[in-house]
Coordinates of all heavy atoms in Angstrom, one line a residue:
A1441 N -10.3 8.9 27.4 CA -11.1 7.9 26.9 C -11.8 8.4 25.7 O -12.4 9.5 25.7 CB -12.1 7.4 28.0
T1442 N -11.8 7.6 24.6 CA -12.5 8.0 23.4 C -13.6 7.1 22.9 O -13.6 5.8 23.3 CB -11.4 8.1 22.3 OG1 -10.8 6.8 22.1 CG2 -10.4 9.1 22.5
T1443 N -14.5 7.5 22.2 CA -15.6 6.7 21.7 C -15.7 7.2 20.2 O -15.7 8.3 19.8 CB -16.9 7.0 22.4 OG1 -16.7 6.7 23.8 CG2 -18.0 6.1 21.8
Y1444 N -15.8 6.1 19.3 CA -16.0 6.4 17.8 C -17.2 5.6 17.4 O -17.5 4.5 17.8 CB -14.8 5.8 17.1 CG -13.5 6.6 17.4 CD1 -12.6 6.1 18.4 CD2 -13.2 7.7 16.8 CE1 -11.4 6.8 18.7 CE2 -12.0 8.5 17.1 CZ -11.2 8.0 18.0 OH -10.0 8.6 18.2
A1445 N -17.9 6.2 16.4 CA -18.8 5.4 15.6 C -18.1 4.2 14.9 O -17.0 4.4 14.4 CB -19.5 6.3 14.6
E1446 N -18.8 3.2 14.8 CA -18.2 2.0 14.1 C -17.8 2.4 12.7 O -16.7 1.9 12.3 CB -19.2 0.8 14.1 CG -18.7 -0.4 13.5 CD -19.7 -1.6 13.5 OE1 -20.7 -1.4 14.2 OE2 -19.5 -2.6 12.8
S1447 N -18.5 3.2 12.1 CA -18.2 3.5 10.7 C -16.9 4.3 10.5 O -16.5 4.4 9.4 CB -19.4 4.3 10.0 OG -19.7 5.4 10.7
V1448 N -16.4 5.0 11.5 CA -15.3 5.8 11.4 C -14.1 5.2 12.2 O -12.9 5.7 12.1 CB -15.5 7.2 11.9 CG1 -16.7 7.8 11.2 CG2 -15.6 7.3 13.4
E1449 N -14.3 4.1 12.8 CA -13.2 3.5 13.6 C -12.1 3.2 12.7 O -12.2 2.6 11.7 CB -13.7 2.2 14.3 CG -12.7 1.6 15.2 CD -12.4 2.4 16.5 OE1 -13.3 2.8 17.1 OE2 -11.1 2.5 16.7
G1450 N -10.8 3.6 13.1 CA -9.6 3.3 12.3 C -9.3 4.4 11.3 O -8.2 4.4 10.7
R1451 N -10.3 5.3 11.0 CA -10.0 6.3 10.1 C -10.0 7.7 10.7 O -9.3 8.6 10.2 CB -11.1 6.4 9.0 CG -11.2 5.1 8.2 CD -12.2 5.2 7.0 NE -13.5 5.4 7.5 CZ -14.2 6.5 7.3 NH1 -13.8 7.5 6.6 NH2 -15.5 6.5 7.7
F1452 N -10.8 7.9 11.8 CA -10.8 9.2 12.5 C -10.1 9.0 13.8 O -10.1 7.9 14.5 CB -12.3 9.6 12.8 CG -13.1 10.0 11.6 CD1 -12.7 9.8 10.4 CD2 -14.4 10.6 11.9 CE1 -13.5 10.1 9.3 CE2 -15.2 11.0 10.9 CZ -14.7 10.7 9.5
T1453 N -9.4 10.1 14.2 CA -8.8 10.1 15.5 C -9.1 11.4 16.2 O -8.9 12.6 15.7 CB -7.2 10.1 15.4 OG1 -6.9 8.9 14.6 CG2 -6.5 10.1 16.7
I1454 N -9.6 11.4 17.4 CA -9.9 12.6 18.2 C -8.9 12.7 19.3 O -8.4 11.7 19.9 CB -11.3 12.4 18.8 CG1 -11.8 13.8 19.4 CG2 -11.4 11.3 19.7 CD1 -13.3 13.8 19.7
S1455 N -8.6 14.0 19.6 CA -7.6 14.3 20.5 C -8.0 15.6 21.2 O -8.8 16.4 20.7 CB -6.2 14.4 20.0 OG -6.1 15.4 19.0
A1456 N -7.3 15.9 22.3 CA -7.7 17.1 23.1 C -6.5 17.8 23.7 O -5.6 17.2 24.0 CB -8.7 16.7 24.3
D1457 N -6.5 19.1 23.7 CA -5.7 20.0 24.4 C -6.4 20.6 25.6 O -7.1 21.5 25.5 CB -5.1 21.0 23.5 CG -4.0 21.9 24.2 OD1 -4.0 22.0 25.4 OD2 -3.1 22.5 23.5
S1458 N -6.3 19.9 26.7 CA -7.1 20.3 27.9 C -6.8 21.8 28.3 O -7.7 22.5 28.7 CB -6.8 19.4 29.0 OG -7.2 18.1 28.8
A1459 N -5.6 22.3 28.3 CA -5.2 23.6 28.7 C -6.0 24.6 27.8 O -6.3 25.6 28.3 CB -3.7 23.8 28.6
K1460 N -6.1 24.3 26.5 CA -6.8 25.2 25.6 C -8.3 24.9 25.5 O -9.0 25.6 24.7 CB -6.2 25.1 24.2 CG -4.7 25.6 24.2 CD -4.1 25.5 22.8 CE -2.8 26.1 22.7 NZ -2.2 26.0 21.3
K1461 N -8.8 23.8 26.2 CA -10.1 23.5 26.0 C -10.5 23.3 24.5 O -11.6 23.7 24.1 CB -11.1 24.4 26.8 CG -11.0 24.3 28.2 CD -12.0 25.2 28.9 CE -12.1 25.0 30.4 NZ -10.9 25.1 31.2
T1462 N -9.7 22.6 23.9 CA -9.7 22.4 22.4 C -9.8 20.9 22.1 O -9.0 20.2 22.7 CB -8.7 23.2 21.6 OG1 -8.8 24.6 21.8 CG2 -8.8 22.9 20.1
V1463 N -10.6 20.6 21.2 CA -10.6 19.2 20.7 C -10.4 19.2 19.2 O -10.8 20.1 18.5 CB -11.9 18.5 21.1 CG1 -13.1 19.0 20.4 CG2 -11.8 17.0 20.8
Y1464 N -9.7 18.1 18.7 CA -9.4 18.0 17.3 C -9.9 16.7 16.8 O -9.8 15.7 17.4 CB -7.9 18.1 17.1 CG -7.2 19.3 17.6 CD1 -6.6 19.3 18.9 CD2 -7.2 20.5 16.9 CE1 -6.1 20.4 19.4 CE2 -6.5 21.6 17.4 CZ -6.1 21.6 18.7 OH -5.4 22.7 19.2
L1465 N -10.4 16.7 15.5 CA -10.8 15.5 14.9 C -10.1 15.3 13.6 O -10.4 16.1 12.7 CB -12.4 15.4 14.7 CG -12.9 14.1 14.1 CD1 -12.7 13.0 15.0 CD2 -14.3 14.3 13.8
Q1466 N -9.1 14.4 13.5 CA -8.4 14.1 12.3 C -9.2 13.1 11.5 O -9.4 12.0 12.0 CB -7.0 13.7 12.6 CG -6.2 13.3 11.3 CD -5.9 14.6 10.5 OE1 -5.5 15.6 11.1 NE2 -6.1 14.4 9.2
M1467 N -9.6 13.4 10.3 CA -10.4 12.5 9.5 C -9.6 12.1 8.3 O -9.3 12.9 7.4 CB -11.8 13.2 9.2 CG -12.6 13.7 10.3 SD -14.1 14.4 9.8 CE -13.6 15.8 9.0
N1468 N -9.2 10.9 8.2 CA -8.5 10.3 7.1 C -9.3 9.4 6.3 O -10.3 8.8 6.8 CB -7.2 9.6 7.6 CG -6.3 10.6 8.3 OD1 -6.2 11.8 8.0 ND2 -5.6 10.0 9.4
R1469 N -8.9 9.1 5.1 CA -9.6 8.2 4.1 C -11.1 8.4 4.1 O -11.9 7.5 4.3 CB -9.3 6.7 4.6 CG -7.7 6.4 4.5 CD -7.4 4.9 4.7 NE -8.0 4.5 5.9 CZ -7.4 4.5 7.1 NH1 -6.2 5.2 7.3 NH2 -7.9 4.0 8.2
L1470 N -11.5 9.7 3.9 CA -12.8 10.1 3.9 C -13.6 9.4 2.8 O -13.1 9.1 1.7 CB -12.9 11.6 3.9 CG -12.6 12.3 5.2 CD1 -12.3 13.8 4.9 CD2 -13.8 12.2 6.1
Q1471 N -14.8 9.1 3.1 CA -15.7 8.4 2.1 C -16.9 9.3 1.9 O -17.3 10.1 2.7 CB -16.1 7.1 2.7 CG -15.0 6.2 3.1 CD -15.5 4.9 3.8 OE1 -16.7 4.7 4.1 NE2 -14.5 4.1 4.2
P1472 N -17.6 9.1 0.8 CA -18.8 9.9 0.5 C -19.8 9.8 1.7 O -20.6 10.7 1.9 CB -19.3 9.3 -0.8 CG -18.2 8.8 -1.5 CD -17.2 8.2 -0.4
E1473 N -19.9 8.6 2.3 CA -20.8 8.4 3.4 C -20.4 9.3 4.6 O -21.3 9.4 5.6 CB -20.8 6.9 3.8 CG -21.3 6.0 2.8 CD -20.4 5.7 1.6 OE1 -19.2 5.9 1.8 OE2 -20.9 5.4 0.5
D1474 N -19.3 9.8 4.7 CA -19.0 10.8 5.7 C -19.5 12.2 5.5 O -19.4 13.0 6.4 CB -17.5 10.9 5.9 CG -16.8 9.6 6.3 OD1 -17.4 8.8 7.1 OD2 -15.7 9.2 5.7
T1475 N -20.1 12.5 4.3 CA -20.6 13.7 4.0 C -21.7 14.1 5.0 O -22.7 13.3 5.2 CB -21.1 13.8 2.7 OG1 -20.1 13.7 1.7 CG2 -21.9 15.1 2.4
A1476 N -21.6 15.1 5.8 CA -22.6 15.5 6.8 C -22.2 16.9 7.4 O -21.1 17.4 7.1 CB -22.5 14.5 7.9
V1477 N -23.1 17.3 8.1 CA -22.9 18.5 9.0 C -22.4 18.0 10.3 O -23.0 17.2 11.0 CB -24.0 19.4 9.2 CG1 -23.7 20.6 10.1 CG2 -24.6 20.0 7.8
Y1478 N -21.2 18.4 10.8 CA -20.5 18.0 12.0 C -20.7 19.0 13.0 O -20.4 20.2 12.8 CB -19.1 17.7 11.8 CG -18.9 16.5 11.0 CD1 -19.1 16.4 9.7 CD2 -18.2 15.4 11.6 CE1 -18.9 15.2 9.0 CE2 -18.0 14.2 10.9 CZ -18.4 14.1 9.6 OH -18.1 13.0 8.8
Y1479 N -21.5 18.7 14.1 CA -21.7 19.6 15.3 C -20.8 19.3 16.4 O -20.8 18.2 17.0 CB -23.2 19.4 15.7 CG -24.2 19.8 14.5 CD1 -24.7 18.9 13.8 CD2 -24.6 21.2 14.5 CE1 -25.6 19.2 12.8 CE2 -25.5 21.5 13.5 CZ -26.0 20.5 12.7 OH -26.9 20.8 11.7
C1480 N -20.1 20.3 16.9 CA -19.2 20.2 18.1 C -20.1 20.1 19.3 O -21.2 20.9 19.4 CB -18.3 21.3 18.1 SG -17.2 21.3 19.6
Y1481 N -19.7 19.4 20.3 CA -20.5 19.1 21.5 C -19.6 19.2 22.7 O -18.4 18.7 22.6 CB -21.2 17.8 21.5 CG -21.8 17.4 22.8 CD1 -23.1 17.8 23.1 CD2 -21.2 16.6 23.6 CE1 -23.7 17.4 24.3 CE2 -21.7 16.1 24.9 CZ -22.9 16.5 25.2 OH -23.5 16.2 26.4
A1482 N -20.0 19.7 23.8 CA -19.3 19.7 25.1 C -20.3 19.6 26.3 O -21.4 20.2 26.1 CB -18.4 20.9 25.1
D1483 N -19.9 18.9 27.2 CA -20.6 18.9 28.5 C -19.7 18.9 29.7 O -18.5 18.6 29.5 CB -21.7 17.9 28.6 CG -21.2 16.4 28.6 OD1 -20.0 16.2 29.3 OD2 -21.9 15.5 28.1
G1484 N -20.3 19.2 30.9 CA -19.4 19.2 32.0 C -20.1 20.0 33.2 O -21.4 20.1 33.1
R1485 N -19.4 20.4 34.1 CA -20.1 21.0 35.3 C -19.3 22.4 35.5 O -18.1 22.6 35.3 CB -19.9 20.2 36.6 CG -20.8 18.9 36.4 CD -20.7 18.2 37.7 NE -21.5 17.0 37.7 CZ -22.8 16.9 37.8 NH1 -23.5 18.0 38.1 NH2 -23.5 15.8 37.7
R1486 N -20.1 23.4 36.0 CA -19.6 24.6 36.3 C -18.7 24.5 37.6 O -19.2 23.8 38.5 CB -20.7 25.7 36.6 CG -21.4 26.1 35.4 CD -22.4 27.2 35.6 NE -21.8 28.4 36.3 CZ -22.4 29.6 36.4 NH1 -23.6 29.8 35.9 NH2 -21.7 30.6 36.9

């Protein structure tokens, strides 16, 4: 299940490799408004 900000819907695609505990964010058709510091986040349970 994925969630996107309205402003990036259709341009960004998030995916995951669960075995590697890795997530990818493909960002296409980038706009000046996308300029930002991007912080990776994770949550779950021990």
Side-chain angles (χ1 to χ4, degrees):
T1442 58
T1443 302
Y1444 296 95
E1446 181 179 350
S1447 58
V1448 310
E1449 182 72 46
R1451 299 187 297 114
F1452 290 11
T1453 302
I1454 191 167
S1455 60
D1457 183 333
S1458 296
K1460 296 182 178 180
K1461 289 184 168 57
T1462 297
V1463 64
Y1464 306 92
L1465 184 64
Q1466 180 67 44
M1467 304 183 293
N1468 297 327
R1469 301 188 302 281
L1470 284 160
Q1471 304 170 3
E1473 294 75 25
D1474 297 316
T1475 295
V1477 177
Y1478 287 68
Y1479 296 93
C1480 182
Y1481 169 87
D1483 67 34
R1485 295 186 180 274
R1486 292 184 57 163

